[in-house]
Amino acid sequence: MHYRRERVRIETARHEIEGTVQLPNEGYRSRTTDFLNAHERDFLALTDVEIRWLDSSREPERHEFLALAVPHIVLVLELETLGIVDDSGGAPEPAALSAVSTPPPLY
């Protein structure tokens, strides 16, 4: 399945969070609003995250992963699309195989 990686800024009552969310590339729930409104999702998974406290009570923090409770989200801004990822785990494309180097022959 192909996924779109989207850089977003999310605001809660206490935090401003910037991170990357993975969305379906096309079809059902490919829009950020549809993805957030999916009833079976209680948490939104974000990667490459920076958290800032709105009251400046703490220094900003960086984390590789954050699970954010969807009911706490007040605002979401899409900042940029980072590209499409194929998460099928299938075999590499033939062009990718030709890029593999081979050792020189032994004489």
Side-chain angles (χ1 to χ4, degrees):
M1 182 169 190
H2 290 92
Y3 293 96
R4 185 177 83 247
R5 295 177 61 238
E6 191 77 34
R7 194 74 181 160
V8 294
R9 182 175 301 134
I10 299 172
E11 198 168 298
T12 69
R14 298 177 54 201
H15 305 95
E16 182 180 80
I17 302 163
E18 192 170 308
T20 302
V21 66
Q22 188 168 288
L23 303 168
N25 184 42
E26 56 187 26
Y28 187 57
R29 295 189 186 133
S30 61
R31 295 185 311 181
T32 304
T33 52
D34 295 339
F35 190 78
L36 290 172
N37 287 328
H39 294 291
E40 70 274 1
R41 297 197 188 278
D42 294 327
F43 289 90
L44 178 64
L46 297 164
T47 58
D48 188 25
V49 179
E50 183 172 333
I51 304 170
R52 290 179 291 279
W53 278 256
L54 294 177
D55 65 1
S56 300
S57 63
R58 293 172 63 178
E59 291 294 316
E61 295 179 6
R62 292 199 64 81
H63 299 280
E64 290 297 315
F65 176 80
L66 174 76
L68 177 62
V70 172
H72 292 280
I73 295 174
V74 175
L75 176 132
V76 177
L77 296 171
E78 291 180 344
L79 301 176
E80 67 177 309
T81 299
L82 301 176
I84 308 300
V85 177
D86 181 4
D87 196 28
S88 65
E93 294 294 320
L97 292 176
S98 65
V100 175
S101 65
T102 58
L106 296 173
Y107 293 98

